[in-house]
Structures are given as C-alpha cells and as structure tokens.
Amino acid sequence: MKHTLETIARLAGVSRGTVSRVVNDMPGVKPHVRQKVQDIIEQTGYVPHPQARSLAGGTTGNIGVAAFSDNPDYLTHHIFYEVLQAIQADSAANDYDLLLFSNRSSADQQYWKRIGTRRKVDGLVIMGEHIREEHLLFYRQLEIPFVLIGKRDFQKLPIACVTSDYHSGAYMATKHLIEQGRRRIVYIHGLQNMHHENARFSGYSEGLEEAGIDVHPELVLAGNASREDAGVELRRLIQEGHSFDAVFAANDLMAFGALEVLSQLKIDVPQEVAVVGYDDVQAAAYYSPPLTTVRQDKRRLGEEAMRMLLDMLKGRMAVDEARTVVIESDLIVRDSG
C-alpha cells in the first residue's frame, strides 16, 4: 500500500494538517502527538512527496551537509573542517543557512532517512567514507538535489561530485622520491577499496613503473588511514628486516605515525629514509621535521561542491546530471624528504 498524508492521518487519529506540520517540522503540535505521527511514519516507511513537504513554506533557505562515517571523530577530521569552512562561507554569501547532519549508523540505522523526511533542506552536500548507493537513491527519490565530495561510482544513478586529482598527486610524490635516488619506497594505504585510495595507489604504481621499479608487495602496508596503525605496520616491517629508503603515506596522519617510529628507532629522516605524506594538514608545516606532502585544495573542494549545488537549486543544472569536477593537487617540499 502506498501511504499518503491522508492514510497516515487516519492511522494516527489526527488531521491531515497535523501530519503536514509534523512532516514539515512546524510548531503547533503537542509532543506526544508529534511522536505518535513520527512513529507511524517510521513503521509504514512513508516517504513525503516533496510538494507535501513544502506546502507550509516553499523553499527552506537551508543547505545541509551530511557526513557519513562510523568514526566518532569524523567531524574533527582535518579534511572535513577545512571543506566545511568553504561551504559555510558560500552558503552564507547566498543567503542560505547551514545544517549539519552526522550519521549515527551504529545507534540509529534510520537516521539517514530522516535527513530527507524530517529535516527541511533545499539541497545536500554529502561527505564521508560510508556513503551507500541506497542513501543517494533515497534522496533522489525525494528530489533533493545533492553533490558529493569525493568520487563514487554507482551503477544505478548519475551523480555530481567534486574530487581531488589523487592519481596525479601520488604520481608527483613518487616521482619526487625517485628523483632523489630512492628505489625502495614503502607505500602506506589508507582506507582500501575506496576510489581515492585506488587512485593514489595507481599514481604510486605508475611512478615506479615509469622508472623501471617493481612494486614490492612486502613494502605495501595497510595503514587504515590511522596514525597508530601506520606506525605499527612500519615497525613490523623494520623488525622483519626489510630494507627501504623512503615512505609515502596516503595521508599526513599516517606519515606522522611513520616519522614517530623512525625517530624512536634512531633512523635519520631524510638522510636514511625520506617521508612524504598526503593532504597538507595544518600541522604538516610545523612537524619535526616539517613534512613534505601533497596538498589537497580543501577549500576549493567545498567551493566547487557549493557551486554545483547552487546551480541545481537555481535551475542552471539538472539534479540528475552526471558531472565530476577534478581539483589539481600540488607537491609541497619540506624537510622530511
């Protein structure tokens, strides 16, 4: 059965107008009545039509940022807050308020749906490593315009996204190390089987292949995007007696973990081992030694995502148009390698 405002009203024993006010998150509904209607909406799987959601006031004047991550510290992540600053500045400049939604997947597996059904937003910028196709299909069904930060390849729907040129950045970093005479370059993976991680490893592999150097499987470590895991893996590699003269980590946090282990084991950086990271977080320039790294233009990621979303909201771009904007990366050479 396809539910409507009327059928939800009958099930809840309230008027159609009361259901409309609950759907649109408007005042004037007693708390226990609001909760009863919300419970029935959850039980029935009712999805309000966009027109029904906008009856009480048309557009909302709100832009939402939805962060999908199982990491409770995601909102403090160096990439997230720099991108968010750009989104906030552009939303304010265009007279939109900004709403932040952080997925609570472990405690509330339906929260991602209520971002669309209970929250009043005109469009979404979506970030995080745990974006699923069902999330995007649901928002598309609700006709909520959205733009992703970070490339995703889904078969069932075209999407608009903005991403860094991870392949080129990793290639530049690897080539830089090779030009210094480094031949055995450790690669520390981030979160594997993600588009950005595959692109970085591809750039690393191409840089080695171009120089006639094989990818040595024992030098490819699983850092899991974690400072601690990267340090543990590099220490294990050293204890097992593997030789190397450089480390390329897929993010700066893992590079910091590598530098800590090398310092503890009295291995000189960069004379014995050069270290290069990825991202250019704010701490990279002030680390000891200052970290050579690939700089993502994090503000431009946010700016380009907002530009596309505003184009959708103003009718200059179709909400179902497939478009990928790629932001160039730069190699920032400092003292670590």
Side-chain angles (χ1 to χ4, degrees), residues 102-209:
S102 180
N103 188 39
R104 303 190 295 257
S105 58
S106 59
D108 185 352
Q109 296 185 4
Q110 297 301 307
Y111 180 71
W112 63 272
K113 286 188 175 180
R114 291 198 297 279
I115 292 173
T117 59
R118 290 189 182 178
R119 310 290 180 170
K120 297 189 67 175
V121 294
D122 294 334
L124 287 169
V125 177
I126 303 176
M127 302 175 61
E129 69 271 22
H130 290 300
I131 301 169
R132 300 199 304 269
E133 190 167 18
E134 64 177 311
H135 298 154
L136 306 184
L137 286 168
F138 185 74
Y139 300 143
R140 183 63 53 80
Q141 178 187 357
L142 292 178
E143 299 180 15
I144 299 174
F146 61 80
V147 176
L148 271 61
I149 292 182
K151 176 71 173 175
R152 300 293 191 282
D153 293 311
F154 295 119
Q155 300 300 315
K156 294 182 181 179
L157 77 169
I159 55 176
C161 65
V162 55
T163 182
S164 293
D165 190 344
Y166 295 105
H167 177 95
S168 177
Y171 170 81
M172 285 190 295
T174 306
K175 185 175 180 180
H176 168 74
L177 290 168
I178 292 169
E179 287 173 348
Q180 295 184 47
R182 314 290 176 164
R183 305 289 294 179
R184 290 184 59 81
I185 302 171
V186 170
Y187 183 84
I188 306 182
H189 269 293
L191 295 171
Q192 297 190 49
N193 299 318
M194 303 288 289
H195 178 275
H196 57 270
E197 182 55 42
N198 293 338
R200 275 189 287 238
F201 186 70
S202 173
Y204 161 80
S205 301
E206 181 181 332
L208 293 181
E209 180 181 359

Side-chain angles (χ1 to χ4, degrees), residues 13 17 37 56 61 94 96 321:
V37 173
N94 287 275
Y96 283 95
E321 179 178 335

Side-chain angles (χ1 to χ4, degrees), residues 15-79:
S15 70
R16 182 184 187 280
T18 296
V19 177
S20 179
R21 285 193 292 274
V22 172
V23 166
N24 286 282
D25 199 23
M26 295 182 65
V29 182
K30 294 180 180 180
H32 72 280
V33 175
R34 182 181 299 275
Q35 187 60 56
K36 183 178 181 181
V37 173
Q38 289 173 342
D39 289 344
I40 290 173
I41 289 173
E42 285 292 320
Q43 292 165 11
T44 59
Y46 168 63
V47 177
H49 190 277
Q51 291 179 349
R53 297 178 70 244
S54 63
L55 286 176
T59 59
T60 69
N62 298 326
I63 295 292
V65 176
F68 288 96
S69 175
D70 288 337
N71 184 344
D73 296 326
Y74 182 80
L75 298 186
T76 66
H77 193 278
H78 52 283
I79 299 293

